[in-house]
Amino acid sequence: MTTQAVAKPRRGKGLKLSGRDRVTVVLMMLIPTLFAATLVWLPAIASVMLSFFNWDGFGPVTEAQPVGFRWYQEAATIYPAFWPAIRHNLIWLAALFLIATPIGILCAVLIDRETQHTKFYQTALYLPVVLSMALIGFVWQLVFSRDQGLLNTILGTSIDWYGDSRYNLWAALIATSWRHVGYVMLLYLAGLKGVDPALKEAASIDGASEVRTFFQVVFPVMFPINVVVLVITFIDSLRAFDLVWVINRGRNGLELLASEVTRNIVGEAQRIGFGSALATIMLIISSVFIVIYLRIVLKEDR
């Protein structure tokens, strides 16, 4: 009989890749990195640099005049729309976080009970998510229109919900919350599907009610989902732009940071440096929350 030597795998060494596989891996990492650097990081760095210069956007960049922190000082002291925009962004954040997000969680919990017609409710709530914010603004125009809007028809009034500065911010918040509820519902519904049923059964055996079980057992288990929703809510409130630009170009009570950046860079103002300063402020604020999110995620992984 002939004996065959059985090759034993070597310990302590990783899988060796062929030359073709190595090229494939390098390309899969290099191409997305180049796209991110070209479309995200380089424009961001250029925007930060332009915030310290005075440039009209037409002449050579080499002719831009350095102005130091002039645009930042002007934004905080002279520019009349800066602090209203900050206040409106904070209101936007509070409305999404304190009203729209809890409604989305409630919808997810009710749909997770798998009662009749849950697929219909899930589809109906998620449908606004696939629509752009600009299109949502036009859809809600059918409700908030002064002359032929559904709301004025029901109330018997002639209020310009989109045009009156006393109401247009709240009308825009209702429209954006309509979309935000469906997004939060989808995220939490996916999280609820991943919760171990044994946890709910153990809480039920201990005599805990459904409400207490959710807040003391289920909700803490979905900590990663909670963090993701918090970060997404903050970033969405900071970069809100499409809806208010469709309504009235971010004027007359709808001033937001993103709309002011657009107005100063590509709008009628044409102040590239000042708009870049506003964009840099947005970048700094959003980076703080992104860093907090990454620290939490990395801490959970460890």
PDB file of all heavy atoms in Angstrom, residues 96-113 125 180-189 192 214-215 218-219 222 225-226 229-230 233:
ATOM      1  N   LEU A  96     -37.791  67.281  14.692  1.00  0.00           N
ATOM      2  CA  LEU A  96     -37.532  65.929  14.194  1.00  0.00           C
ATOM      3  C   LEU A  96     -37.232  64.963  15.328  1.00  0.00           C
ATOM      4  O   LEU A  96     -37.686  63.807  15.315  1.00  0.00           O
ATOM      5  CB  LEU A  96     -36.374  65.940  13.199  1.00  0.00           C
ATOM      6  CG  LEU A  96     -36.602  66.658  11.867  1.00  0.00           C
ATOM      7  CD1 LEU A  96     -35.395  66.487  10.965  1.00  0.00           C
ATOM      8  CD2 LEU A  96     -37.849  66.139  11.171  1.00  0.00           C
ATOM      9  N   PHE A  97     -36.464  65.423  16.309  1.00  0.00           N
ATOM     10  CA  PHE A  97     -36.030  64.528  17.383  1.00  0.00           C
ATOM     11  C   PHE A  97     -37.132  64.279  18.413  1.00  0.00           C
ATOM     12  O   PHE A  97     -37.283  63.147  18.907  1.00  0.00           O
ATOM     13  CB  PHE A  97     -34.800  65.115  18.061  1.00  0.00           C
ATOM     14  CG  PHE A  97     -34.225  64.234  19.137  1.00  0.00           C
ATOM     15  CD1 PHE A  97     -33.591  63.041  18.810  1.00  0.00           C
ATOM     16  CD2 PHE A  97     -34.333  64.581  20.469  1.00  0.00           C
ATOM     17  CE1 PHE A  97     -33.078  62.221  19.799  1.00  0.00           C
ATOM     18  CE2 PHE A  97     -33.815  63.777  21.462  1.00  0.00           C
ATOM     19  CZ  PHE A  97     -33.171  62.590  21.130  1.00  0.00           C
ATOM     20  N   LEU A  98     -37.892  65.312  18.758  1.00  0.00           N
ATOM     21  CA  LEU A  98     -38.872  65.176  19.841  1.00  0.00           C
ATOM     22  C   LEU A  98     -40.266  64.798  19.356  1.00  0.00           C
ATOM     23  O   LEU A  98     -41.083  64.322  20.163  1.00  0.00           O
ATOM     24  CB  LEU A  98     -38.952  66.493  20.625  1.00  0.00           C
ATOM     25  CG  LEU A  98     -37.651  66.949  21.299  1.00  0.00           C
ATOM     26  CD1 LEU A  98     -37.858  68.288  21.981  1.00  0.00           C
ATOM     27  CD2 LEU A  98     -37.161  65.902  22.291  1.00  0.00           C
ATOM     28  N   ILE A  99     -40.562  64.992  18.087  1.00  0.00           N
ATOM     29  CA  ILE A  99     -41.910  64.714  17.581  1.00  0.00           C
ATOM     30  C   ILE A  99     -41.890  63.620  16.516  1.00  0.00           C
ATOM     31  O   ILE A  99     -42.521  62.566  16.666  1.00  0.00           O
ATOM     32  CB  ILE A  99     -42.565  65.992  17.033  1.00  0.00           C
ATOM     33  CG1 ILE A  99     -42.679  67.054  18.130  1.00  0.00           C
ATOM     34  CG2 ILE A  99     -43.944  65.677  16.461  1.00  0.00           C
ATOM     35  CD1 ILE A  99     -43.231  68.384  17.659  1.00  0.00           C
ATOM     36  N   ALA A 100     -41.145  63.847  15.431  1.00  0.00           N
ATOM     37  CA  ALA A 100     -41.173  62.906  14.314  1.00  0.00           C
ATOM     38  C   ALA A 100     -40.539  61.562  14.681  1.00  0.00           C
ATOM     39  O   ALA A 100     -41.074  60.501  14.327  1.00  0.00           O
ATOM     40  CB  ALA A 100     -40.460  63.513  13.102  1.00  0.00           C
ATOM     41  N   THR A 101     -39.418  61.585  15.396  1.00  0.00           N
ATOM     42  CA  THR A 101     -38.753  60.323  15.755  1.00  0.00           C
ATOM     43  C   THR A 101     -39.604  59.464  16.689  1.00  0.00           C
ATOM     44  O   THR A 101     -39.749  58.254  16.438  1.00  0.00           O
ATOM     45  CB  THR A 101     -37.380  60.612  16.380  1.00  0.00           C
ATOM     46  OG1 THR A 101     -36.550  61.285  15.418  1.00  0.00           O
ATOM     47  CG2 THR A 101     -36.701  59.332  16.814  1.00  0.00           C
ATOM     48  N   PRO A 102     -40.186  59.996  17.773  1.00  0.00           N
ATOM     49  CA  PRO A 102     -41.079  59.146  18.587  1.00  0.00           C
ATOM     50  C   PRO A 102     -42.273  58.599  17.813  1.00  0.00           C
ATOM     51  O   PRO A 102     -42.688  57.452  18.045  1.00  0.00           O
ATOM     52  CB  PRO A 102     -41.532  60.095  19.706  1.00  0.00           C
ATOM     53  CG  PRO A 102     -40.439  61.094  19.815  1.00  0.00           C
ATOM     54  CD  PRO A 102     -39.953  61.306  18.419  1.00  0.00           C
ATOM     55  N   ILE A 103     -42.828  59.384  16.890  1.00  0.00           N
ATOM     56  CA  ILE A 103     -43.943  58.875  16.081  1.00  0.00           C
ATOM     57  C   ILE A 103     -43.464  57.707  15.204  1.00  0.00           C
ATOM     58  O   ILE A 103     -44.158  56.698  15.049  1.00  0.00           O
ATOM     59  CB  ILE A 103     -44.540  59.992  15.221  1.00  0.00           C
ATOM     60  CG1 ILE A 103     -45.204  61.049  16.114  1.00  0.00           C
ATOM     61  CG2 ILE A 103     -45.561  59.435  14.240  1.00  0.00           C
ATOM     62  CD1 ILE A 103     -45.745  62.241  15.351  1.00  0.00           C
ATOM     63  N   GLY A 104     -42.265  57.837  14.630  1.00  0.00           N
ATOM     64  CA  GLY A 104     -41.717  56.746  13.838  1.00  0.00           C
ATOM     65  C   GLY A 104     -41.484  55.494  14.662  1.00  0.00           C
ATOM     66  O   GLY A 104     -41.733  54.375  14.192  1.00  0.00           O
ATOM     67  N   ILE A 105     -40.996  55.654  15.902  1.00  0.00           N
ATOM     68  CA  ILE A 105     -40.801  54.500  16.786  1.00  0.00           C
ATOM     69  C   ILE A 105     -42.136  53.839  17.108  1.00  0.00           C
ATOM     70  O   ILE A 105     -42.275  52.601  17.092  1.00  0.00           O
ATOM     71  CB  ILE A 105     -40.088  54.942  18.082  1.00  0.00           C
ATOM     72  CG1 ILE A 105     -38.684  55.465  17.756  1.00  0.00           C
ATOM     73  CG2 ILE A 105     -40.010  53.796  19.067  1.00  0.00           C
ATOM     74  CD1 ILE A 105     -37.962  56.045  18.958  1.00  0.00           C
ATOM     75  N   LEU A 106     -43.154  54.656  17.400  1.00  0.00           N
ATOM     76  CA  LEU A 106     -44.482  54.118  17.697  1.00  0.00           C
ATOM     77  C   LEU A 106     -45.039  53.338  16.510  1.00  0.00           C
ATOM     78  O   LEU A 106     -45.596  52.241  16.675  1.00  0.00           O
ATOM     79  CB  LEU A 106     -45.427  55.251  18.079  1.00  0.00           C
ATOM     80  CG  LEU A 106     -46.890  54.864  18.356  1.00  0.00           C
ATOM     81  CD1 LEU A 106     -46.974  53.889  19.525  1.00  0.00           C
ATOM     82  CD2 LEU A 106     -47.735  56.105  18.621  1.00  0.00           C
ATOM     83  N   CYS A 107     -44.878  53.874  15.320  1.00  0.00           N
ATOM     84  CA  CYS A 107     -45.355  53.171  14.117  1.00  0.00           C
ATOM     85  C   CYS A 107     -44.620  51.845  13.933  1.00  0.00           C
ATOM     86  O   CYS A 107     -45.228  50.830  13.559  1.00  0.00           O
ATOM     87  CB  CYS A 107     -45.165  54.048  12.884  1.00  0.00           C
ATOM     88  SG  CYS A 107     -46.216  55.532  12.847  1.00  0.00           S
ATOM     89  N   ALA A 108     -43.313  51.829  14.221  1.00  0.00           N
ATOM     90  CA  ALA A 108     -42.547  50.590  14.100  1.00  0.00           C
ATOM     91  C   ALA A 108     -43.022  49.543  15.096  1.00  0.00           C
ATOM     92  O   ALA A 108     -43.147  48.356  14.752  1.00  0.00           O
ATOM     93  CB  ALA A 108     -41.059  50.879  14.303  1.00  0.00           C
ATOM     94  N   VAL A 109     -43.303  49.971  16.309  1.00  0.00           N
ATOM     95  CA  VAL A 109     -43.779  49.025  17.332  1.00  0.00           C
ATOM     96  C   VAL A 109     -45.141  48.460  16.950  1.00  0.00           C
ATOM     97  O   VAL A 109     -45.394  47.249  17.085  1.00  0.00           O
ATOM     98  CB  VAL A 109     -43.837  49.720  18.707  1.00  0.00           C
ATOM     99  CG1 VAL A 109     -44.504  48.819  19.732  1.00  0.00           C
ATOM    100  CG2 VAL A 109     -42.437  50.095  19.166  1.00  0.00           C
ATOM    101  N   LEU A 110     -46.031  49.307  16.459  1.00  0.00           N
ATOM    102  CA  LEU A 110     -47.369  48.837  16.084  1.00  0.00           C
ATOM    103  C   LEU A 110     -47.310  47.892  14.886  1.00  0.00           C
ATOM    104  O   LEU A 110     -48.016  46.873  14.850  1.00  0.00           O
ATOM    105  CB  LEU A 110     -48.271  50.032  15.777  1.00  0.00           C
ATOM    106  CG  LEU A 110     -48.577  50.972  16.949  1.00  0.00           C
ATOM    107  CD1 LEU A 110     -49.414  52.151  16.491  1.00  0.00           C
ATOM    108  CD2 LEU A 110     -49.293  50.217  18.072  1.00  0.00           C
ATOM    109  N   ILE A 111     -46.480  48.204  13.907  1.00  0.00           N
ATOM    110  CA  ILE A 111     -46.364  47.330  12.737  1.00  0.00           C
ATOM    111  C   ILE A 111     -45.690  46.016  13.104  1.00  0.00           C
ATOM    112  O   ILE A 111     -46.015  44.961  12.547  1.00  0.00           O
ATOM    113  CB  ILE A 111     -45.593  48.061  11.619  1.00  0.00           C
ATOM    114  CG1 ILE A 111     -46.431  49.227  11.087  1.00  0.00           C
ATOM    115  CG2 ILE A 111     -45.231  47.117  10.479  1.00  0.00           C
ATOM    116  CD1 ILE A 111     -45.730  50.064  10.031  1.00  0.00           C
ATOM    117  N   ASP A 112     -44.762  46.059  14.065  1.00  0.00           N
ATOM    118  CA  ASP A 112     -44.065  44.838  14.477  1.00  0.00           C
ATOM    119  C   ASP A 112     -45.004  43.836  15.155  1.00  0.00           C
ATOM    120  O   ASP A 112     -44.665  42.651  15.251  1.00  0.00           O
ATOM    121  CB  ASP A 112     -42.921  45.194  15.424  1.00  0.00           C
ATOM    122  CG  ASP A 112     -42.054  43.999  15.766  1.00  0.00           C
ATOM    123  OD1 ASP A 112     -41.494  43.403  14.832  1.00  0.00           O
ATOM    124  OD2 ASP A 112     -41.952  43.659  16.963  1.00  0.00           O
ATOM    125  N   ARG A 113     -46.156  44.277  15.603  1.00  0.00           N
ATOM    126  CA  ARG A 113     -47.125  43.367  16.220  1.00  0.00           C
ATOM    127  C   ARG A 113     -47.779  42.445  15.194  1.00  0.00           C
ATOM    128  O   ARG A 113     -48.438  41.483  15.559  1.00  0.00           O
ATOM    129  CB  ARG A 113     -48.208  44.183  16.943  1.00  0.00           C
ATOM    130  CG  ARG A 113     -47.659  45.023  18.081  1.00  0.00           C
ATOM    131  CD  ARG A 113     -48.711  45.997  18.582  1.00  0.00           C
ATOM    132  NE  ARG A 113     -49.819  45.293  19.192  1.00  0.00           N
ATOM    133  CZ  ARG A 113     -49.939  45.050  20.491  1.00  0.00           C
ATOM    134  NH1 ARG A 113     -48.979  45.462  21.312  1.00  0.00           N
ATOM    135  NH2 ARG A 113     -50.976  44.413  20.977  1.00  0.00           N
ATOM    136  N   LEU A 125     -46.330  54.266   4.983  1.00  0.00           N
ATOM    137  CA  LEU A 125     -45.449  55.119   5.776  1.00  0.00           C
ATOM    138  C   LEU A 125     -44.081  55.283   5.134  1.00  0.00           C
ATOM    139  O   LEU A 125     -43.439  56.331   5.289  1.00  0.00           O
ATOM    140  CB  LEU A 125     -45.296  54.537   7.188  1.00  0.00           C
ATOM    141  CG  LEU A 125     -46.530  54.628   8.092  1.00  0.00           C
ATOM    142  CD1 LEU A 125     -46.311  53.833   9.366  1.00  0.00           C
ATOM    143  CD2 LEU A 125     -46.838  56.079   8.429  1.00  0.00           C
ATOM    144  N   HIS A 180     -39.625  61.944   7.509  1.00  0.00           N
ATOM    145  CA  HIS A 180     -38.735  61.451   8.562  1.00  0.00           C
ATOM    146  C   HIS A 180     -39.378  60.303   9.342  1.00  0.00           C
ATOM    147  O   HIS A 180     -38.682  59.372   9.757  1.00  0.00           O
ATOM    148  CB  HIS A 180     -38.364  62.599   9.503  1.00  0.00           C
ATOM    149  CG  HIS A 180     -37.287  62.255  10.485  1.00  0.00           C
ATOM    150  ND1 HIS A 180     -35.962  62.140  10.128  1.00  0.00           N
ATOM    151  CD2 HIS A 180     -37.343  61.986  11.818  1.00  0.00           C
ATOM    152  CE1 HIS A 180     -35.244  61.827  11.194  1.00  0.00           C
ATOM    153  NE2 HIS A 180     -36.059  61.729  12.226  1.00  0.00           N
ATOM    154  N   VAL A 181     -40.672  60.363   9.545  1.00  0.00           N
ATOM    155  CA  VAL A 181     -41.371  59.307  10.289  1.00  0.00           C
ATOM    156  C   VAL A 181     -41.193  57.963   9.591  1.00  0.00           C
ATOM    157  O   VAL A 181     -40.919  56.935  10.236  1.00  0.00           O
ATOM    158  CB  VAL A 181     -42.870  59.656  10.442  1.00  0.00           C
ATOM    159  CG1 VAL A 181     -43.669  58.430  10.876  1.00  0.00           C
ATOM    160  CG2 VAL A 181     -43.042  60.770  11.464  1.00  0.00           C
ATOM    161  N   GLY A 182     -41.350  57.932   8.285  1.00  0.00           N
ATOM    162  CA  GLY A 182     -41.202  56.684   7.555  1.00  0.00           C
ATOM    163  C   GLY A 182     -39.790  56.136   7.608  1.00  0.00           C
ATOM    164  O   GLY A 182     -39.592  54.909   7.707  1.00  0.00           O
ATOM    165  N   TYR A 183     -38.797  57.013   7.580  1.00  0.00           N
ATOM    166  CA  TYR A 183     -37.408  56.569   7.637  1.00  0.00           C
ATOM    167  C   TYR A 183     -37.090  55.970   9.004  1.00  0.00           C
ATOM    168  O   TYR A 183     -36.471  54.898   9.107  1.00  0.00           O
ATOM    169  CB  TYR A 183     -36.498  57.749   7.327  1.00  0.00           C
ATOM    170  CG  TYR A 183     -35.060  57.372   7.075  1.00  0.00           C
ATOM    171  CD1 TYR A 183     -34.742  56.236   6.344  1.00  0.00           C
ATOM    172  CD2 TYR A 183     -34.021  58.157   7.541  1.00  0.00           C
ATOM    173  CE1 TYR A 183     -33.432  55.882   6.101  1.00  0.00           C
ATOM    174  CE2 TYR A 183     -32.704  57.819   7.301  1.00  0.00           C
ATOM    175  CZ  TYR A 183     -32.416  56.678   6.579  1.00  0.00           C
ATOM    176  OH  TYR A 183     -31.109  56.341   6.344  1.00  0.00           O
ATOM    177  N   VAL A 184     -37.508  56.654  10.060  1.00  0.00           N
ATOM    178  CA  VAL A 184     -37.272  56.143  11.411  1.00  0.00           C
ATOM    179  C   VAL A 184     -38.035  54.835  11.628  1.00  0.00           C
ATOM    180  O   VAL A 184     -37.520  53.892  12.246  1.00  0.00           O
ATOM    181  CB  VAL A 184     -37.680  57.200  12.457  1.00  0.00           C
ATOM    182  CG1 VAL A 184     -37.624  56.631  13.865  1.00  0.00           C
ATOM    183  CG2 VAL A 184     -36.787  58.426  12.346  1.00  0.00           C
ATOM    184  N   MET A 185     -39.265  54.775  11.126  1.00  0.00           N
ATOM    185  CA  MET A 185     -40.048  53.547  11.234  1.00  0.00           C
ATOM    186  C   MET A 185     -39.317  52.362  10.623  1.00  0.00           C
ATOM    187  O   MET A 185     -39.258  51.271  11.204  1.00  0.00           O
ATOM    188  CB  MET A 185     -41.402  53.745  10.560  1.00  0.00           C
ATOM    189  CG  MET A 185     -42.328  52.537  10.575  1.00  0.00           C
ATOM    190  SD  MET A 185     -42.097  51.389   9.188  1.00  0.00           S
ATOM    191  CE  MET A 185     -42.407  52.444   7.777  1.00  0.00           C
ATOM    192  N   LEU A 186     -38.719  52.553   9.447  1.00  0.00           N
ATOM    193  CA  LEU A 186     -38.026  51.465   8.774  1.00  0.00           C
ATOM    194  C   LEU A 186     -36.808  51.003   9.578  1.00  0.00           C
ATOM    195  O   LEU A 186     -36.573  49.793   9.731  1.00  0.00           O
ATOM    196  CB  LEU A 186     -37.602  51.911   7.381  1.00  0.00           C
ATOM    197  CG  LEU A 186     -36.931  50.846   6.514  1.00  0.00           C
ATOM    198  CD1 LEU A 186     -37.937  49.768   6.144  1.00  0.00           C
ATOM    199  CD2 LEU A 186     -36.339  51.473   5.260  1.00  0.00           C
ATOM    200  N   LEU A 187     -36.032  51.946  10.105  1.00  0.00           N
ATOM    201  CA  LEU A 187     -34.840  51.585  10.872  1.00  0.00           C
ATOM    202  C   LEU A 187     -35.198  50.822  12.136  1.00  0.00           C
ATOM    203  O   LEU A 187     -34.590  49.776  12.444  1.00  0.00           O
ATOM    204  CB  LEU A 187     -34.041  52.844  11.220  1.00  0.00           C
ATOM    205  CG  LEU A 187     -33.368  53.582  10.058  1.00  0.00           C
ATOM    206  CD1 LEU A 187     -32.706  54.861  10.553  1.00  0.00           C
ATOM    207  CD2 LEU A 187     -32.341  52.698   9.381  1.00  0.00           C
ATOM    208  N   TYR A 188     -36.185  51.320  12.878  1.00  0.00           N
ATOM    209  CA  TYR A 188     -36.556  50.649  14.118  1.00  0.00           C
ATOM    210  C   TYR A 188     -37.295  49.335  13.862  1.00  0.00           C
ATOM    211  O   TYR A 188     -37.200  48.406  14.663  1.00  0.00           O
ATOM    212  CB  TYR A 188     -37.405  51.572  14.990  1.00  0.00           C
ATOM    213  CG  TYR A 188     -36.566  52.473  15.857  1.00  0.00           C
ATOM    214  CD1 TYR A 188     -36.335  53.791  15.500  1.00  0.00           C
ATOM    215  CD2 TYR A 188     -35.982  51.995  17.017  1.00  0.00           C
ATOM    216  CE1 TYR A 188     -35.548  54.613  16.282  1.00  0.00           C
ATOM    217  CE2 TYR A 188     -35.203  52.805  17.809  1.00  0.00           C
ATOM    218  CZ  TYR A 188     -34.981  54.113  17.434  1.00  0.00           C
ATOM    219  OH  TYR A 188     -34.193  54.916  18.214  1.00  0.00           O
ATOM    220  N   LEU A 189     -38.002  49.243  12.771  1.00  0.00           N
ATOM    221  CA  LEU A 189     -38.663  47.987  12.438  1.00  0.00           C
ATOM    222  C   LEU A 189     -37.622  46.902  12.165  1.00  0.00           C
ATOM    223  O   LEU A 189     -37.789  45.748  12.596  1.00  0.00           O
ATOM    224  CB  LEU A 189     -39.569  48.172  11.227  1.00  0.00           C
ATOM    225  CG  LEU A 189     -40.484  46.997  10.869  1.00  0.00           C
ATOM    226  CD1 LEU A 189     -41.420  46.671  12.026  1.00  0.00           C
ATOM    227  CD2 LEU A 189     -41.298  47.322   9.629  1.00  0.00           C
ATOM    228  N   LEU A 192     -36.243  45.945  15.584  1.00  0.00           N
ATOM    229  CA  LEU A 192     -37.163  45.115  16.369  1.00  0.00           C
ATOM    230  C   LEU A 192     -37.168  43.674  15.885  1.00  0.00           C
ATOM    231  O   LEU A 192     -37.328  42.745  16.685  1.00  0.00           O
ATOM    232  CB  LEU A 192     -38.578  45.699  16.287  1.00  0.00           C
ATOM    233  CG  LEU A 192     -38.806  47.011  17.041  1.00  0.00           C
ATOM    234  CD1 LEU A 192     -40.175  47.589  16.705  1.00  0.00           C
ATOM    235  CD2 LEU A 192     -38.690  46.793  18.545  1.00  0.00           C
ATOM    236  N   PHE A 214     -40.701  47.407  26.615  1.00  0.00           N
ATOM    237  CA  PHE A 214     -40.063  48.103  25.490  1.00  0.00           C
ATOM    238  C   PHE A 214     -38.993  49.064  25.987  1.00  0.00           C
ATOM    239  O   PHE A 214     -37.872  49.069  25.468  1.00  0.00           O
ATOM    240  CB  PHE A 214     -41.111  48.858  24.675  1.00  0.00           C
ATOM    241  CG  PHE A 214     -40.519  49.664  23.566  1.00  0.00           C
ATOM    242  CD1 PHE A 214     -40.116  49.059  22.383  1.00  0.00           C
ATOM    243  CD2 PHE A 214     -40.351  51.043  23.691  1.00  0.00           C
ATOM    244  CE1 PHE A 214     -39.556  49.800  21.351  1.00  0.00           C
ATOM    245  CE2 PHE A 214     -39.795  51.790  22.663  1.00  0.00           C
ATOM    246  CZ  PHE A 214     -39.399  51.163  21.498  1.00  0.00           C
ATOM    247  N   PHE A 215     -39.316  49.898  26.971  1.00  0.00           N
ATOM    248  CA  PHE A 215     -38.381  50.939  27.386  1.00  0.00           C
ATOM    249  C   PHE A 215     -37.241  50.399  28.248  1.00  0.00           C
ATOM    250  O   PHE A 215     -36.160  50.998  28.262  1.00  0.00           O
ATOM    251  CB  PHE A 215     -39.120  52.041  28.159  1.00  0.00           C
ATOM    252  CG  PHE A 215     -39.910  52.955  27.269  1.00  0.00           C
ATOM    253  CD1 PHE A 215     -41.295  52.869  27.209  1.00  0.00           C
ATOM    254  CD2 PHE A 215     -39.278  53.891  26.474  1.00  0.00           C
ATOM    255  CE1 PHE A 215     -42.029  53.711  26.391  1.00  0.00           C
ATOM    256  CE2 PHE A 215     -39.996  54.737  25.651  1.00  0.00           C
ATOM    257  CZ  PHE A 215     -41.371  54.643  25.604  1.00  0.00           C
ATOM    258  N   VAL A 218     -36.266  46.210  25.425  1.00  0.00           N
ATOM    259  CA  VAL A 218     -36.090  46.247  23.977  1.00  0.00           C
ATOM    260  C   VAL A 218     -35.312  47.486  23.542  1.00  0.00           C
ATOM    261  O   VAL A 218     -34.353  47.395  22.763  1.00  0.00           O
ATOM    262  CB  VAL A 218     -37.465  46.186  23.276  1.00  0.00           C
ATOM    263  CG1 VAL A 218     -37.290  46.296  21.763  1.00  0.00           C
ATOM    264  CG2 VAL A 218     -38.186  44.901  23.636  1.00  0.00           C
ATOM    265  N   PHE A 219     -35.711  48.653  24.024  1.00  0.00           N
ATOM    266  CA  PHE A 219     -35.085  49.904  23.580  1.00  0.00           C
ATOM    267  C   PHE A 219     -33.588  49.948  23.899  1.00  0.00           C
ATOM    268  O   PHE A 219     -32.794  50.354  23.026  1.00  0.00           O
ATOM    269  CB  PHE A 219     -35.806  51.088  24.217  1.00  0.00           C
ATOM    270  CG  PHE A 219     -35.460  52.415  23.589  1.00  0.00           C
ATOM    271  CD1 PHE A 219     -35.941  52.750  22.334  1.00  0.00           C
ATOM    272  CD2 PHE A 219     -34.669  53.320  24.263  1.00  0.00           C
ATOM    273  CE1 PHE A 219     -35.627  53.969  21.755  1.00  0.00           C
ATOM    274  CE2 PHE A 219     -34.346  54.541  23.694  1.00  0.00           C
ATOM    275  CZ  PHE A 219     -34.825  54.866  22.434  1.00  0.00           C
ATOM    276  N   MET A 222     -31.473  47.966  21.381  1.00  0.00           N
ATOM    277  CA  MET A 222     -31.314  48.591  20.071  1.00  0.00           C
ATOM    278  C   MET A 222     -30.452  49.849  20.146  1.00  0.00           C
ATOM    279  O   MET A 222     -30.658  50.814  19.412  1.00  0.00           O
ATOM    280  CB  MET A 222     -32.686  48.935  19.481  1.00  0.00           C
ATOM    281  CG  MET A 222     -33.545  47.732  19.180  1.00  0.00           C
ATOM    282  SD  MET A 222     -35.018  48.158  18.219  1.00  0.00           S
ATOM    283  CE  MET A 222     -35.852  49.244  19.382  1.00  0.00           C
ATOM    284  N   ILE A 225     -29.024  51.215  16.849  1.00  0.00           N
ATOM    285  CA  ILE A 225     -30.049  51.880  16.046  1.00  0.00           C
ATOM    286  C   ILE A 225     -30.341  53.266  16.606  1.00  0.00           C
ATOM    287  O   ILE A 225     -30.506  54.235  15.851  1.00  0.00           O
ATOM    288  CB  ILE A 225     -31.340  51.040  16.005  1.00  0.00           C
ATOM    289  CG1 ILE A 225     -31.052  49.652  15.444  1.00  0.00           C
ATOM    290  CG2 ILE A 225     -32.413  51.729  15.182  1.00  0.00           C
ATOM    291  CD1 ILE A 225     -30.649  49.646  13.998  1.00  0.00           C
ATOM    292  N   ASN A 226     -30.385  53.383  17.929  1.00  0.00           N
ATOM    293  CA  ASN A 226     -30.654  54.676  18.548  1.00  0.00           C
ATOM    294  C   ASN A 226     -29.581  55.702  18.174  1.00  0.00           C
ATOM    295  O   ASN A 226     -29.895  56.861  17.869  1.00  0.00           O
ATOM    296  CB  ASN A 226     -30.708  54.520  20.071  1.00  0.00           C
ATOM    297  CG  ASN A 226     -31.796  53.575  20.520  1.00  0.00           C
ATOM    298  OD1 ASN A 226     -32.797  53.393  19.833  1.00  0.00           O
ATOM    299  ND2 ASN A 226     -31.611  52.957  21.675  1.00  0.00           N
ATOM    300  N   VAL A 229     -29.955  56.722  14.430  1.00  0.00           N
ATOM    301  CA  VAL A 229     -31.094  57.620  14.237  1.00  0.00           C
ATOM    302  C   VAL A 229     -30.769  59.012  14.773  1.00  0.00           C
ATOM    303  O   VAL A 229     -31.124  60.027  14.154  1.00  0.00           O
ATOM    304  CB  VAL A 229     -32.349  57.049  14.934  1.00  0.00           C
ATOM    305  CG1 VAL A 229     -33.479  58.078  14.956  1.00  0.00           C
ATOM    306  CG2 VAL A 229     -32.813  55.793  14.214  1.00  0.00           C
ATOM    307  N   LEU A 230     -30.094  59.084  15.899  1.00  0.00           N
ATOM    308  CA  LEU A 230     -29.718  60.380  16.465  1.00  0.00           C
ATOM    309  C   LEU A 230     -28.805  61.152  15.519  1.00  0.00           C
ATOM    310  O   LEU A 230     -29.024  62.343  15.257  1.00  0.00           O
ATOM    311  CB  LEU A 230     -29.030  60.171  17.821  1.00  0.00           C
ATOM    312  CG  LEU A 230     -28.501  61.431  18.510  1.00  0.00           C
ATOM    313  CD1 LEU A 230     -29.638  62.390  18.827  1.00  0.00           C
ATOM    314  CD2 LEU A 230     -27.733  61.074  19.775  1.00  0.00           C
ATOM    315  N   THR A 233     -30.700  62.160  12.307  1.00  0.00           N
ATOM    316  CA  THR A 233     -31.624  63.255  12.587  1.00  0.00           C
ATOM    317  C   THR A 233     -30.887  64.581  12.679  1.00  0.00           C
ATOM    318  O   THR A 233     -31.340  65.603  12.135  1.00  0.00           O
ATOM    319  CB  THR A 233     -32.380  62.983  13.894  1.00  0.00           C
ATOM    320  OG1 THR A 233     -33.092  61.749  13.785  1.00  0.00           O
ATOM    321  CG2 THR A 233     -33.373  64.104  14.190  1.00  0.00           C
TER     322      THR A 233
END
